[in-house]
Amino acid sequence: MTVSVKVTVNGNYKLPISYKQGGREENHVISGHGLDRPNELHIPFHHGPDVMTLTVGPEEPDNGEE
């Protein structure tokens, strides 16, 4: 069995993503600002007894300013 999780953002938007599986927890913000292609984040799923919890959003406009 293969499990694949990919989140893609296109255009001038940014999107917070967080996930947790077992003792592993990560937080990211991906943006499509200034790109001529979608920005992709591949999330590794580890096989085993641990459930993965994935939180996506809410999206916000991204004008490139910090």
Side-chain angles (χ1 to χ4, degrees):
M1 176 174 88
T2 301
V3 176
S4 176
V5 179
K6 177 174 76 171
V7 178
T8 304
V9 176
N10 195 14
N12 291 331
Y13 291 93
K14 58 185 173 184
L15 184 66
I17 299 165
S18 62
Y19 60 91
K20 181 177 181 176
Q21 185 178 21
R24 183 175 59 116
E25 185 170 351
E26 295 197 28
N27 298 293
H28 301 274
V29 176
I30 62 173
S31 173
H33 179 76
L35 301 176
D36 60 353
R37 56 169 174 65
N39 189 1
E40 299 178 349
L41 175 66
H42 294 269
I43 300 171
F45 179 85
H46 295 209
H47 296 281
D50 296 321
V51 172
M52 176 181 273
T53 303
L54 173 65
T55 304
V56 179
E59 70 179 13
E60 297 177 10
D62 186 0
N63 59 11
E65 296 178 10
E66 294 280 329

